[in-house]
Amino acid sequence: MVDRVVLIGFMGAGKSTVGAILAARLGRILVDTDRLVEERAGMPIPRLFTEKGEHEFRRVETEVLQTLHARRGIVVATGGGAPIQPANRFFFEGPSATFHLRVGLGAARARALRGGIARPLLQQDDAAVRELYVERLSVYEGLGIPVETEERSPEEIAEEIVRLLAGPTASPTPGGSGG
Ligand code: S3P
């Protein structure tokens, strides 16, 4: 079994929800990088964006990934922007199996709204959000094994990842050095 299972994808893809189920299925701990950023910053993410700016959020996010880099046997739900930052590439190139939870923009927005967690980057106008989505997609696709999430329950998605982990395609990751 790989050292680290990492979930990537756009906001609303279901990384935290699927990650919790997956971690339970694998008998591992789920680490949610957004929650660690909030702990480290001492405030919720929307406030961090408002008071200190996205730049500070990204700085703390990179620190969080650095602290997790040596940890083994965890499932990591990452923030949607984490794989995009060049400073974070080290994390996704480590001994991980990385899965891209694929979601269309419409479903992502609907889920993000339903989930009730404020995402500062979704407060922008439609064109800006679409641009962000399109820009990021190719990075997610380059780094992660694709897993479809639409019209499937989080349990079904976690189950597929368990199956993929047991099969030959889970390691190495497309962008990583494997393990
Ligand atoms: C962000 C995604 C959020 C959170 C922050 C920035 C992004 O996490 O890290 O609001 O840049 O896509 P989720 O992907 O868990 O919503």
Side-chain angles (χ1 to χ4, degrees):
M1 178 66 79
V2 290
D3 286 339
R4 191 166 59 208
V5 180
V6 179
L7 304 182
I8 62 172
F10 201 66
M11 293 169 270
K15 298 168 300 251
S16 303
T17 307
V18 171
I21 298 166
L22 181 63
R25 285 281 281 104
L26 297 174
R28 293 179 174 213
I29 289 172
L30 172 73
V31 178
D32 187 321
T33 63
D34 283 346
R35 301 292 80 76
L36 293 186
V37 167
E38 292 186 324
E39 271 174 32
R40 203 166 254 261
M43 62 180 82
I45 288 172
R47 208 172 121 209
L48 184 56
F49 268 72
T50 311
E51 290 187 8
K52 304 199 174 172
E54 180 175 351
H55 180 77
E56 177 62 9
F57 168 81
R58 297 294 169 205
R59 194 190 64 72
V60 179
E61 183 175 54
T62 297
E63 274 184 10
V64 163
L65 294 177
Q66 281 162 349
T67 66
L68 293 178
H69 196 39
R71 281 186 63 187
R72 302 287 178 250
I74 51 176
V75 173
V76 186
T78 59
I84 312 302
Q85 311 303 314
N88 297 339
R89 284 299 157 78
F90 72 93
F91 188 77
F92 300 91
E93 288 164 359
S96 336
T98 301
F99 295 92
H100 167 208
L101 301 195
R102 297 186 62 179
V103 63
L105 184 52
R109 295 189 88 147
R111 282 188 206 157
L113 280 178
R114 270 203 311 272
I117 296 174
R119 267 96 169 178
L121 295 178
L122 290 183
Q123 313 298 317
Q124 309 171 88
D125 64 51
D126 283 0
V129 174
R130 175 167 296 280
E131 196 177 317
L132 195 66
Y133 178 85
V134 171
E135 271 171 20
R136 288 176 169 191
L137 201 56
S138 60
V139 177
Y140 297 146
E141 284 175 350
L143 284 176
I145 297 160
V147 177
E148 290 301 333
T149 68
E150 288 196 46
E151 295 179 25
R152 304 172 80 186
S153 69
E155 288 77 12
E156 286 168 332
I157 299 162
E159 207 49 52
E160 180 179 345
I161 296 174
V162 170
R163 270 200 308 275
L164 287 166
L165 283 167
T169 55
S171 166
T173 61
S177 56

